[in-house]
Amino acid sequence: CSNDINPHGNLPTTEALGQIQEGVHTRTDIQALLGTPSATSMFGGETWFYISNETTQVAFFKPKELERTIIAVHFDDNGRVKGIDHLSKDDGQQVDIVGRETPTRGNDSSIVQELFGNIGRFAPKTVD
Amino acid sequence: AAQSAGGQRAAAQRGGAFTAPGLGGTIDRIVIEGTQRIDPETVLTYMTVREGDVYDAGKVDRSLKNLFETGLFADVSMRHEGGRLVVSVAENPIINRIAFEGNRRIKDPQLETEIQLRPRVVYTRAKVQEDVQRILELYRRSGRYAVSVEPKVIALDQNRVDLAFEINEGPSTTVRRISFVGNKVYDDSALREVVETSEEAWYRFLSSTDTYDPDRLTYDRELLRRHYLKNGYADFQVKSAIAELSTDRQAFFMTFTVSEGERYRFGPVGLETTLAELDPEALRGVITFKDGDWYSADKVEAAVQKLTDEVGNRGFAFVDVKPRVTRDADKRTIAITFQIDEGPRAFVERIDINGNVRTLDEVVRREMMLSEGDAFNSAKLRRSRQRIQDLGFFEKVEVNNEPSPTAPDRTVVKVDVTEKSTGEVSFGVGWSSSVGAIIEVGLRERNLLGRGQDLKASVSWAQRRSQVDISFTEPYFLDRRLRAGVDLYAIERDLKKESSYDYRTYGTALRLGYNYNENLGHTFKYTAEFNEITDVKSDASRFIKNQDDKTYLSMIGHVLTYDRRDSKLDPKDGYVLSLGNDMAGLGGSEYFLRSDAKAAYYAPIGDWFDWNPTWGLTVKGGAGYMFGLGKDVNINQRYNLGGTNLRGFANAGASPRDADTDDALGGNWVTTGSVEVAVPLGLPAELGLSGRLFSDFGMIGKPDDFDEALMDGAVSPRLSAGAGVTWVSPVGPISVDLGYPLVKEKFDKTEVFRLSFGSRF
Amino acid sequence: CSSKKDEPEYVERPVEELYNEAVDLLNTSSYALAAKAFDEVERQHPYSSWATKAQIMSAYALYENEAYDDAVVAINRFIELHPGNRDIAYAYYLRGLCYYEQISDVRRDQQITRQAMSNLRDVVTRFPDSPYARDARLKIDLARDHIAGKEMSVGRFYLKRQDFLAALNRFRVVVEQYDQTTHVPEALYRMVEINTLLGLPDEAKRVAAVLGHNFPGSDWYGDAYRLITGEKVPSATEGAEPPPSSSWTDSLTGWL
């Protein structure tokens, strides 16, 4: 039973990365070379991130992240490439996701209405 | 519309002629005459002329047109007297009531929703004509072309009218004859099976395919093209498809002129790629045809899809497979080269799910093979669409993508679903040889609370069995692809005929199931059951009497299933294997180990040998083996042979039995087999009659407490053969089986005739 | 012509009597009958001044009866026939309410919410100083908050499945396009969470700083502060109980 590996996100090819010249290339060059960034840094935006990972899922176990590569392209003040970082899975830290959620309203129909409300309701109009 | 248009022209001239051009003059007051229901300010809001403006013929004309376009007025005219502009209007009447007469085939409510006019809406001649057309169109869609519709208007007081549509439906127009010109390879009757439109015939009173429908005609052309392409006729063309209406407008004559061309074979099959790290030859295994086979467009299409999936799986996110066809007319071969290139680099920006009014967003989203930010891959998109469709909650599922405004290499995936009713109330009545007359009531909701959960409750009473079942399944337990479920059941079974005792079972089961891949599934189950043997007949076999009447079963088990059938409901091709083991003894009073294996193989022999497609072969086999762990196996856990698993024998007819009381006692192991051939009866498919020939085989072992002297039981093969017919009647499927026991023991109980009919509606 | 069976038999009655009967029905909240009674007023006396009023009252009765689709049809007819009427502002407002009441749970299709917003925006643009505009603006914000809630629920879905990139962009949409809503603090916190998970500490710090600056008192900032500074150790600020770590079933299933 082959559990196939699913690639996610945008993984730029190694030779495209090789062509980046620091201090010369601007954002438009990087856009042409690597495509639109997966994410850009907030409230400043002088770093472009290309995030990608590979996950696999065996039977009923949780989807497991096999490996993750993040390429951060930093730009200096006049918009030229300042530096490139490569991050992988082990740079990440384990975090407990907080379970609390901001409440939203919107009527969630009652169980009984759900159970019987839907019988025949969507039945297509019959044209004899 | 003629009447009001005339009014408009006259008004314009009068207005124009009266005021000589160039006589400026300002308008100091606008007077509105003739309004009854509509308040004057409303008239003003539609006019571009205001008090105090300079008189301008263009603006006046513009206001005139606006007022007409509102459809509220039968006539509008404007007069310029001195400083005053007098606007006199005649309001269109209001419709009081609408009625239909003479409509038998299409009922009033349906006609009402089709037409635009409603009670209390403004009446205009133009809208009436439009509604007449709509009614005619509605009749044409249901195949009646000889219809005439006459609108009648009855004036009432206060400028109101009643509107009546007098409809004369006339006879229905059906397709009398479908003929083909230019077809040498397949004869007319074969091609009539291919197209969907069918000739009028007495038994087609239920179907609507014998009426003429232009869309279905174009669909028929497509069906013909696909049929020929599938069988290698690459040059096939439908020259023309015309339907002539008979003079009495009661019948259509359809003629398809086709040019078949020659039958082609596949030439050499090549694989080329510009992707650096991909070896094309490694993919050859995926292609299902080779040089010299008959050409088939379907096979080429399937190969393209398989190649895309295969290359996608090898980590190439962007793949684009194009078949390059070179046709050699005189050798009549078609060479194919699959060109595998890198597709356009595009990423999924967003996945928007629309139309899920009841179903939760995540129930659909978790079926998507792509998530946001991933590389766009059309093969995964197709498989996602299929998985959402397989949920069974949606009438229609459309997954398509459109370029995103934010960036050139980004696309937004749109998943539009139309939900269907997933709640079912079923009521069934039936009769079967094993349980007698049966009434069944069931309630099922397959998409409970829009969470994709399945809740079933069913109650059935039969002469010899009544049963209550409640079962709940969560397809995504703990947010994983893990099917968890709980069942509650109560069964009361009367086995007096077979073993002269009744028994009652109250039980619950917990289930956990998951799929390794498309075909291999595994389910674990824990069962807790209370069984009670009740009112044992006084003359029952002593072996039954000394069974302890109250038993508690606590059993854990699993079933591994490998399913390669083309469909679960009505399999025609493929096979399914399953192996299950159960162990009772985690507490409770029963201790045994039981293993069951089942296999079924389906072969569409009709297609293989080019006979009538209804020919089908089904071979089934099964074996079950159990033994007590330090305690004899209780009677109602044992296997039985005869009845449904061995036709030609009564229920448990071949099981070991008490020599003098003839009560069946069951055995510790059983093996069964059956070969069945579906036989075409040469009758039209609409009648729903299907025939079969079958031969069943079975052998059963002895119970633990077997006693040669007091029991009849033989570990010997039983064989039966017979024929059966099933008729899917409008009330429900009725099936009759006649089975003749060929090899049996003298003490076996046989039953040649078995009938069962059940209708669920 | 055949008269319809279910039609009340066609009795001519003076308009005031009919109208008052309908109003009484409305007050005793038998809305379906009230709607029918108002229709009868308009049908029998289409030209009386009561007819126009009856049309909008019938729509209101349908709205109270939660027959929203029929109410909208009645309102559209009123707007088409009486665009200049003095109750026109109320008609647009009532139509907005018809959609607003049908807003469903965030995890379902938000088409109705969008329709409610566009109708309520009609009220605000066409009749800015009418008594209904203020309530319409309030309801527009609540509807927008609701749509932001949907973005959040999809973001959490991807976060739970460890699709960090998908989750990050969803929370970013909330921060950038729904900045006035109640979901912004949580969206910012989730971005801090994801950036930490991905191993981008300075990005996490920058977002946490913005969260602290705009929402100092919120629990989300408390969590962010602990995540950034005290890692897992609860920070020294007195009385701040440790973040409620995800429910025990999640940790139970962690090792499964």
Side-chain angles (χ1 to χ4, degrees):
Chain A
C1 48
S2 71
N3 43 38
D4 41 23
I5 297 159
N6 301 323
H8 291 293
N10 176 355
L11 179 61
T13 54
T14 39
E15 97 260 10
L17 282 172
Q19 290 163 17
I20 299 178
Q21 294 144 17
E22 290 186 18
V24 170
H25 280 155
T26 64
R27 285 192 169 76
T28 34
D29 307 330
I30 298 296
Q31 164 89 25
L33 259 175
L34 308 180
T36 315
S38 312
T40 57
S41 63
M42 295 287 286
F43 314 115
E46 83 296 353
T47 311
W48 281 11
F49 297 104
Y50 290 88
I51 304 170
S52 71
N53 67 1
E54 281 192 358
T55 58
T56 184
Q57 157 128 43
V58 173
F60 61 88
F61 292 98
K62 274 199 167 188
K64 222 167 41 301
E65 206 181 22
L66 293 178
E67 41 138 334
R68 176 194 319 143
T69 35
I70 300 176
I71 291 154
V73 181
H74 301 289
F75 294 93
D76 57 23
D77 301 344
N78 41 38
R80 301 249 179 256
V81 172
K82 188 167 64 181
I84 301 176
D85 297 342
H86 288 254
L87 292 151
S88 74
K89 190 163 183 306
D90 24 39
D91 295 320
Q93 282 158 305
Q94 258 314 334
V95 162
D96 261 352
I97 310 282
V98 159
R100 186 175 354 100
E101 292 180 7
T102 315
T104 58
R105 91 186 221 332
N107 44 27
D108 206 344
S109 34
S110 71
I111 295 251
V112 173
Q113 189 194 357
E114 277 289 335
L115 197 52
F116 299 104
N118 174 28
I119 291 169
R121 187 149 67 98
F122 291 99
K125 286 194 286 302
T126 49
V127 175
D128 64 3
Chain B
Q3 183 259 348
S4 64
Q8 189 183 7
R9 263 200 312 285
Q13 269 126 23
R14 237 187 0 270
F18 189 81
T19 53
L23 176 64
T26 58
I27 305 167
D28 34 31
R29 257 181 78 260
I30 297 180
V31 171
I32 314 267
E33 284 166 2
T35 49
Q36 290 170 313
R37 200 161 154 281
I38 298 168
D39 33 37
E41 300 84 27
T42 313
V43 178
L44 281 176
T45 52
Y46 286 114
M47 289 178 57
T48 48
V49 184
R50 287 291 170 272
E51 284 173 349
D53 287 2
V54 168
Y55 180 83
D56 161 356
K59 265 201 190 154
V60 167
D61 191 42
R62 185 75 225 114
S63 320
L64 204 69
K65 280 205 179 55
N66 286 354
L67 285 174
F68 262 109
E69 261 144 31
T70 62
L72 300 173
F73 306 105
D75 183 18
V76 181
S77 62
M78 299 192 182
R79 289 191 312 283
H80 182 208
E81 291 157 356
R84 293 183 325 132
L85 178 65
V86 175
V87 177
S88 82
V89 293
E91 285 183 13
N92 266 326
I94 303 295
I95 296 177
N96 181 34
R97 263 207 304 264
I98 296 181
F100 302 96
E101 271 137 36
N103 53 331
R104 279 191 328 283
R105 292 280 287 180
I106 299 186
K107 298 294 170 279
D108 286 13
Q110 226 176 306
L111 286 169
E112 266 156 25
T113 46
E114 191 66 27
I115 59 170
Q116 293 294 330
L117 292 173
R118 290 277 178 286
R120 301 200 313 285
V121 157
V122 171
Y123 163 90
T124 65
R125 294 180 55 75
K127 279 192 191 149
V128 171
Q129 290 312 330
E130 267 170 43
D131 280 350
V132 167
Q133 286 313 322
R134 280 206 186 78
I135 295 176
L136 287 176
E137 186 45 36
L138 192 60
Y139 271 103
R140 257 191 221 103
R141 269 210 301 277
S142 66
R144 304 181 79 83
Y145 285 76
V147 179
S148 70
V149 177
E150 204 34 58
K152 285 272 184 304
V153 175
I154 303 114
L156 299 174
D157 59 3
Q158 293 188 0
N159 196 4
R160 288 178 301 148
V161 286
D162 274 355
L163 178 60
F165 289 100
E166 268 152 18
I167 301 169
N168 167 356
E169 289 182 342
S172 80
T173 17
T174 54
V175 174
R176 178 120 346 127
R177 170 140 293 296
I178 304 177
S179 47
F180 297 88
V181 170
N183 51 332
K184 295 189 288 301
V185 181
Y186 295 95
D187 59 19
D188 281 21
S189 66
L191 291 182
R192 266 188 218 110
E193 289 297 320
V194 170
V195 290
E196 212 180 79
T197 316
S198 46
E199 282 175 354
E200 186 213 7
W202 62 267
Y203 48 78
R204 285 211 176 88
F205 49 85
L206 288 180
S207 94
S208 68
T209 57
D210 56 1
T211 54
Y212 167 68
D213 172 356
D215 312 336
R216 199 186 306 127
L217 189 62
T218 32
Y219 182 54
D220 286 344
R221 292 170 72 122
E222 181 54 25
L223 286 174
L224 284 171
R225 203 180 62 78
R226 246 188 249 153
H227 175 70
Y228 273 93
L229 274 178
K230 198 168 131 200
N231 293 294
Y233 293 87
D235 297 338
F236 173 77
Q237 266 181 349
V238 178
K239 283 270 185 286
S240 76
I242 20 156
E244 294 131 297
L245 186 57
S246 62
T247 43
D248 61 7
R249 287 171 30 155
Q250 290 197 334
F252 273 96
F253 297 92
M254 294 174 78
T255 344
F256 291 93
T257 347
V258 295
S259 94
E260 291 171 330
E262 297 307 326
R263 190 172 193 188
Y264 280 78
R265 285 181 179 279
F266 275 114
V269 179
L271 279 155
E272 282 165 15
T273 179
T274 51
L275 293 172
E277 301 88 1
L278 177 68
D279 155 25
E281 282 316 311
L283 302 165
R284 190 165 285 283
V286 161
I287 301 174
T288 55
F289 53 86
K290 56 187 174 333
D291 192 339
D293 289 359
W294 285 113
Y295 170 77
S296 149
D298 290 2
K299 286 192 180 139
V300 175
E301 178 48 36
V304 166
Q305 226 147 25
K306 285 218 187 73
L307 281 172
T308 320
D309 290 356
E310 194 50 37
V311 174
N313 267 344
R314 291 166 190 246
F316 292 90
F318 309 100
V319 74
D320 177 23
V321 177
K322 283 201 183 57
R324 232 188 15 254
V325 172
T326 41
R327 187 197 305 260
D328 177 336
D330 37 27
K331 283 224 286 309
R332 289 210 293 284
T333 59
I334 295 184
I336 306 246
T337 311
F338 290 100
Q339 186 63 35
I340 304 168
D341 302 329
E342 182 169 47
R345 286 183 70 87
F347 292 91
V348 174
E349 182 177 85
R350 262 177 86 86
I351 298 176
D352 287 332
I353 294 173
N354 309 309
N356 55 326
V357 175
R358 253 174 58 57
T359 317
L360 296 188
D361 180 281
E362 65 202 49
V363 169
V364 179
R365 198 175 289 275
R366 65 188 178 198
E367 297 300 333
M368 290 298 286
M369 311 273 286
L370 294 168
S371 48
E372 293 171 353
D374 284 6
F376 178 78
N377 172 328
S378 50
K380 279 191 176 163
L381 214 59
R382 258 196 313 276
R383 232 171 316 130
S384 307
R385 200 198 87 68
Q386 190 53 46
R387 273 164 57 151
I388 296 172
Q389 188 75 40
D390 291 349
L391 288 173
F393 306 152
F394 304 113
E395 197 69 49
K396 197 156 55 67
V397 177
E398 267 157 36
V399 175
N400 34 48
N401 59 320
E402 48 198 44
S404 135
T406 54
D409 66 348
R410 292 196 140 194
T411 173
V412 175
V413 171
K414 287 241 170 308
V415 180
D416 297 318
V417 293
T418 340
E419 284 170 323
K420 67 179 176 189
S421 156
T422 51
E424 287 150 25
V425 178
S426 62
F427 173 77
V429 173
W431 189 88
S432 88
S433 315
S434 47
V435 286
I438 182 166
I439 298 173
E440 218 177 359
V441 177
L443 170 73
R444 180 170 188 196
E445 171 55 61
R446 274 186 293 107
N447 185 5
L448 186 66
L449 304 176
R451 289 207 175 80
Q453 293 158 344
D454 187 341
L455 182 65
K456 273 191 295 234
S458 76
V459 180
S460 72
W461 301 277
Q463 284 162 323
R464 292 205 299 280
R465 188 195 66 200
S466 55
Q467 188 163 347
V468 176
D469 282 288
I470 298 173
S471 97
F472 169 81
T473 309
E474 157 62 66
Y476 262 75
F477 187 53
L478 298 173
D479 288 331
R480 305 151 184 237
R481 297 187 73 78
L482 192 60
R483 281 184 310 281
V486 61
D487 306 328
L488 295 167
Y489 51 89
I491 305 170
E492 270 171 22
R493 188 81 166 83
D494 161 0
L495 292 176
K496 288 207 177 52
K497 204 158 80 98
E498 292 91 350
S499 314
S500 46
Y501 70 87
D502 299 348
Y503 77 85
R504 270 205 297 268
T505 307
Y506 305 107
T508 175
L510 299 173
R511 289 179 274 112
L512 267 181
Y514 51 83
N515 275 40
Y516 284 107
N517 57 32
E518 305 293 315
N519 313 96
L520 186 62
H522 206 169
T523 310
F524 279 90
K525 192 164 170 187
Y526 168 74
T527 316
E529 232 176 53
F530 163 70
N531 289 304
E532 185 179 15
I533 296 177
T534 57
D535 45 52
V536 178
K537 283 199 323 218
S538 54
D539 59 359
S541 141
R542 76 172 68 76
F543 297 102
I544 292 176
K545 284 184 185 150
N546 58 33
Q547 291 290 329
D548 33 25
D549 48 9
K550 287 194 173 61
T551 56
Y552 301 90
L553 179 70
S554 161
M555 179 173 76
I556 183 156
H558 80 99
V559 179
L560 194 62
T561 320
Y562 189 66
D563 186 345
R564 297 289 298 238
R565 290 171 298 177
D566 58 352
S567 111
K568 288 194 175 39
L569 296 173
D570 176 15
K572 293 235 175 349
D573 192 353
Y575 58 88
V576 59
L577 313 165
S578 82
L579 169 71
N581 307 86
D582 295 317
M583 194 193 75
L586 291 130
S589 64
E590 298 307 294
Y591 298 88
F592 59 77
L593 192 61
R594 176 171 53 202
S595 308
D596 292 279
K598 278 205 272 302
Y601 174 73
Y602 302 87
I605 44 179
D607 297 344
W608 289 355
F609 306 111
D610 274 344
W611 301 338
N612 177 320
T614 34
W615 282 94
L617 170 72
T618 312
V619 178
K620 286 192 182 147
Y625 177 77
M626 69 190 298
F627 54 88
L629 299 168
K631 181 176 185 298
D632 284 356
V633 173
N634 183 285
I635 182 163
N636 52 39
Q637 300 295 345
R638 293 179 196 148
Y639 294 106
N640 271 304
L641 184 60
T644 36
N645 60 4
L646 185 65
R647 284 168 286 197
F649 288 77
N651 277 346
S655 299
R657 61 191 60 258
D658 184 311
D660 45 26
T661 68
D662 256 352
D663 293 335
L665 302 172
N668 274 9
W669 60 268
V670 73
T671 167
T672 59
S674 107
V675 176
E676 193 169 304
V677 179
V679 174
L681 302 173
L683 298 170
E686 277 87 1
L687 284 185
L689 261 171
S690 61
R692 58 183 168 276
L693 299 171
F694 61 83
S695 160
D696 288 359
F697 151 84
M699 249 165 76
I700 186 161
K702 298 191 175 89
D704 288 327
D705 51 4
F706 187 75
D707 177 338
E708 198 59 40
L710 304 167
M711 289 193 195
D712 290 335
V715 180
S716 67
R718 272 61 162 202
L719 188 66
S720 74
V725 169
T726 301
W727 174 36
V728 180
S729 73
V731 182
I734 301 173
S735 56
V736 173
D737 282 309
L738 296 171
Y740 299 95
L742 304 175
V743 172
K744 70 179 184 67
E745 294 298 329
K746 55 185 180 340
F747 49 77
D748 286 346
K749 291 202 170 11
T750 62
E751 185 184 70
V752 173
F753 176 79
R754 288 185 64 78
L755 168 106
S756 94
F757 100 89
S759 57
R760 296 175 61 82
F761 38 83
Chain C
C1 53
S2 65
S3 76
K4 292 230 170 20
K5 297 171 272 335
D6 54 8
E7 201 72 32
E9 77 317 312
Y10 191 54
V11 162
E12 286 290 333
R13 284 186 19 232
V15 66
E16 294 77 13
E17 188 190 315
L18 268 173
Y19 191 85
N20 293 335
E21 187 192 301
V23 170
D24 299 343
L25 284 168
L26 198 61
N27 297 338
T28 58
S29 65
S30 51
Y31 298 118
L33 293 175
K36 276 210 171 50
F38 280 120
D39 284 350
E40 199 52 26
V41 167
E42 193 216 338
R43 212 151 64 78
Q44 289 191 19
H45 306 280
Y47 298 114
S48 74
S49 64
W50 297 97
T52 320
K53 188 70 181 167
Q55 264 182 9
I56 194 70
M57 292 304 284
S58 150
Y60 172 70
L62 288 169
Y63 163 76
E64 283 295 342
N65 194 30
E66 292 179 7
Y68 297 118
D69 299 340
D70 303 339
V72 167
V73 167
I75 294 172
N76 288 342
R77 214 159 54 71
F78 177 83
I79 291 174
E80 182 198 317
L81 284 178
H82 310 289
N85 185 288
R86 53 183 161 60
D87 290 338
I88 197 68
Y90 176 70
Y92 277 93
Y93 175 63
L94 188 62
R95 189 167 60 181
L97 286 187
C98 284
Y99 289 111
Y100 186 80
E101 288 308 324
Q102 297 179 68
I103 289 182
S104 59
D105 170 80
V106 275
R107 288 172 300 176
R108 292 191 168 89
D109 188 348
Q110 290 308 309
Q111 178 61 14
I112 297 276
T113 318
R114 272 185 282 276
Q115 270 174 326
M117 277 170 68
S118 75
N119 276 293
L120 289 167
R121 224 172 259 129
D122 263 0
V123 175
V124 173
T125 43
R126 285 170 189 262
F127 316 99
D129 38 34
S130 77
Y132 314 107
R134 203 182 54 75
D135 184 50
R137 278 192 200 89
L138 173 66
K139 287 200 159 56
I140 288 175
D141 291 345
L142 284 172
R144 236 160 66 78
D145 192 281
H146 203 66
I147 292 188
K150 179 175 173 93
E151 294 291 327
M152 292 298 286
S153 86
V154 175
R156 284 185 217 106
F157 167 81
Y158 281 123
L159 186 55
K160 227 187 290 185
R161 280 168 47 127
Q162 302 189 351
D163 271 335
F164 300 126
L165 169 57
L168 189 68
N169 282 334
R170 278 279 170 163
F171 294 126
R172 186 191 183 89
V173 161
V174 172
V175 170
E176 283 174 350
Q177 292 169 22
Y178 296 90
D179 47 7
Q180 303 305 329
T181 64
T182 59
H183 296 281
V184 171
E186 182 187 353
L188 285 170
Y189 170 72
R190 295 296 177 198
M191 294 179 79
V192 173
E193 227 170 31
I194 294 172
N195 283 319
T196 319
L197 269 163
L198 293 177
L200 301 165
D202 36 24
E203 188 64 20
K205 281 197 185 63
R206 186 180 304 121
V207 175
V210 169
L211 173 56
H213 174 63
N214 294 305
F215 308 94
S218 86
D219 301 343
W220 300 108
Y221 177 59
D223 297 336
Y225 183 80
R226 259 184 295 290
L227 203 57
I228 299 289
T229 56
E231 296 312 326
K232 296 223 178 20
V233 170
S235 79
T237 49
E238 74 299 341
E241 85 296 343
S245 82
S246 48
S247 63
W248 63 273
T249 52
D250 283 357
S251 47
L252 163 71
T253 57
W255 56 267
L256 197 59

